[in-house]
Amino acid sequence: MKYTIHDQVTLSHAPEGPLAAHLISFADAISARGYSAQSMKQQIRIAACFSLWLKQTGVSVKDICYDHATRYLRFRARHVQPYRGDRAALRHLIDFMRSEGVIPVEKTATRRVPPAEICAQAYAEYLRDARALADATINYYVPFVCDLLHHCFGNGKVNLSRLRAVDIVSFVQYRAPSLHLKRAKLMTTALRSFLRYARYRGDVTLDLAAAVPVVANWSMASIPRAISAEQTRQLLASIDRRTAIGRRDYAILLLLARLGLRSGEVAFLELDDIDWRAGQVSVHGKSGQRSEMPLPADVGKAIAAYLLRGRPHSASRRVFLRAKAPITGFRGPCGVGSLVRHSLQRAGIDAPTMGAHQFRHGLATQMLSRGASLSEIGEVLGHRDPNTTRIYTSVDIKALRTLALPWPGGVR
């Protein structure tokens, strides 16, 4: 006799085993997360087979763990052609059962945390609580600090009072050659921050931050690589706005091109950030700073089109959602960067880069050519340091030519 689990999933017989009573709620959870009917069928069927195998092998609910899923997949492979999504399906099942309290959380062996990591973690908490730095900045700084402490103290006790300038210099000389220039500069910034923190705590009496070597770098050495206005028009015209994904991608690309937002600012944009009456959008920038920006009519129209005829049903408050299950917001800036890369490749556009940041450079370049001041550009782009905006002076070639003196020898 057939047994209906969900309106889209029917089994040949009633499920058995320790997880049988929970398959309906599992199916509902899968459906709510936006998985396709085919994916749902596959996940429920292997879940039912797994539950039966658990019964046959005498495994109780309280003992179920990921190891049982691995052993079952080996058993299944000897009798049925393996499916690519089998392992992920069982992982989803076990995670769901744990979230529901059906399966107890698996105990993991306690790892001895090295003293260097303990010290670095205390520094991370200081940056988060006392300095209110963004998590992304903390995640950049802490690994460099861990490397320094391991370099100086190994796995032994960390005694910051024993640090000397020669230790700092030798570490930078050892580590910097293997890093890209920007990473090397980030490392020295992180080390100075940590050493100032150590002195603030009283663990270090000397100003070791001053001993951190400066990484050689020419100021404004490179011209920002900006996508041209014509390339932006071509890219936007190539998006198929008849599809839900196309409407989403078009709205995202317009936000990048017209407002110069960072990829993370687009990825984490929420429904409550848009004030439709006032025609404004609230942008969450670096270090938690928040700024109100005018919402151009074409951008607002594109976002509205996606929300009305493209955005999947979801409890998420994010404006832009993933196109594939699980239907949630982008995990981070990389999702927007990937969208830009694929859109450029599909359109066959030979852009300066494949990333999202070129739209910020493109907007700044266009504003500069139209006569906008550097302060106006910095305000639009959310630059806190005026020096950050100065780099765009190197792209205004036409304006620079008007300042060039004539060649003494005349035209040849």
Side-chain angles (χ1 to χ4, degrees):
M1 178 182 293
K2 292 188 176 181
Y3 184 88
T4 300
I5 290 285
H6 192 272
D7 56 3
Q8 294 177 317
V9 183
T10 301
L11 302 179
S12 58
H13 54 81
E16 302 178 47
L19 301 179
H22 306 282
L23 294 185
I24 293 178
S25 57
F26 178 53
D28 291 339
I30 294 174
S31 177
R33 297 184 72 186
Y35 284 93
S36 66
Q38 182 60 36
S39 177
M40 193 189 319
K41 290 177 184 177
Q42 179 64 26
Q43 293 197 54
I44 296 302
R45 286 171 181 169
I46 193 171
C49 294
F50 179 53
S51 182
L52 177 60
W53 178 83
L54 291 170
K55 175 184 176 182
Q56 293 171 342
T57 52
V59 179
S60 63
V61 171
K62 62 181 180 63
D63 295 324
I64 297 174
C65 63
Y66 290 120
D67 182 60
H68 290 114
T70 302
R71 287 162 52 191
Y72 169 68
L73 290 174
R74 293 198 198 104
F75 165 81
R76 183 179 175 84
R78 294 196 295 268
H79 301 85
V80 182
Q81 178 69 30
Y83 178 70
R84 187 176 60 180
D86 287 349
R87 186 173 298 278
L90 292 185
R91 186 176 66 251
H92 292 162
L93 173 67
I94 293 176
D95 288 344
F96 171 76
M97 295 301 172
R98 282 185 175 156
S99 67
E100 294 291 300
V102 178
I103 298 175
V105 177
E106 189 173 352
K107 294 181 179 179
T108 56
T110 303
R111 182 179 73 94
R112 178 185 175 274
V113 181
E117 292 186 25
I118 295 175
C119 182
Q121 190 56 43
Y123 166 64
E125 292 175 3
Y126 162 78
L127 294 180
R128 185 177 297 107
D129 299 337
R131 298 288 308 281
L133 293 189
D135 286 340
T137 303
I138 296 172
N139 292 336
Y140 282 135
Y141 282 12
V142 170
F144 290 124
V145 172
C146 275
D147 287 348
L148 169 68
L149 297 177
H150 280 297
H151 178 82
C152 297
F153 302 103
N155 291 323
K157 180 180 178 181
V158 173
N159 188 349
L160 296 179
S161 64
R162 292 174 50 194
L163 282 178
R164 296 292 179 267
V166 65
D167 300 321
I168 309 301
V169 173
S170 66
F171 171 73
V172 173
Q173 290 175 337
Y174 160 76
R175 194 77 173 83
S178 63
L179 299 175
H180 185 276
L181 176 61
K182 288 186 177 180
R183 291 282 295 170
K185 290 176 68 64
L186 181 63
M187 175 187 67
T188 56
T189 301
L191 296 183
R192 292 188 189 99
S193 171
F194 172 72
L195 293 170
R196 284 193 292 268
Y197 155 79
R199 192 181 185 191
Y200 161 77
R201 281 176 49 93
D203 297 327
V204 173
T205 56
L206 300 174
D207 183 14
L208 292 180
V212 179
V214 176
V215 177
N217 180 36
W218 290 100
S219 177
M220 297 169 58
S222 61
I223 295 177
R225 292 184 289 179
I227 188 170
S228 69
E230 180 57 32
Q231 287 175 323
T232 300
R233 282 192 289 270
Q234 291 177 13
L235 178 62
L236 292 172
S238 71
I239 304 298
D240 184 4
R241 285 182 277 165
R242 295 171 298 179
T243 67
I245 296 177
R247 286 188 280 271
R248 181 200 67 179
D249 293 355
Y250 183 77
I252 288 176
L253 291 170
L254 264 186
L255 277 170
L256 293 172
R258 299 278 277 111
L259 296 183
L261 299 188
R262 300 177 180 89
S263 54
E265 293 168 346
V266 174
F268 298 124
L269 190 67
E270 298 197 347
L271 296 172
D272 298 329
D273 293 331
I274 302 177
D275 187 338
W276 295 102
R277 290 183 180 275
Q280 291 184 332
V281 58
S282 181
V283 177
H284 302 268
K286 286 185 174 180
S287 301
Q289 64 177 357
R290 191 185 184 101
S291 58
E292 304 293 334
M293 301 186 69
L295 185 65
D298 56 343
V299 181
K301 184 178 179 180
I303 296 175
Y306 167 66
L307 295 178
L308 294 172
R309 296 180 290 113
R311 187 178 184 272
H313 295 290
S314 173
S316 174
R317 299 301 295 170
R318 296 276 185 84
V319 172
F320 300 108
L321 304 180
R322 287 161 39 95
K324 296 182 180 179
I327 304 300
T328 60
F330 292 107
R331 293 180 180 175
C334 292
V336 174
S338 177
L339 182 154
V340 170
R341 182 175 66 256
H342 291 309
S343 298
L344 289 169
Q345 290 173 341
R346 280 196 303 268
I349 296 175
D350 185 19
T353 74
M354 300 304 285
H357 219 66
Q358 62 184 318
F359 292 99
R360 282 174 65 81
H361 296 325
L363 177 63
T365 303
Q366 292 171 41
M367 291 180 65
L368 192 64
S369 66
R370 294 170 186 162
S373 66
L374 290 181
S375 61
E376 290 171 331
I377 296 172
E379 185 176 352
V380 170
L381 298 186
H383 290 163
R384 290 183 295 175
D385 185 355
N387 290 325
T388 306
T389 316
R390 284 182 55 240
I391 192 170
Y392 293 109
T393 59
S394 60
V395 303
D396 194 3
I397 304 300
K398 291 182 180 179
L400 290 175
R401 282 174 178 163
T402 63
L403 303 177
L405 297 175
W407 181 252
V411 179
R412 294 185 180 181

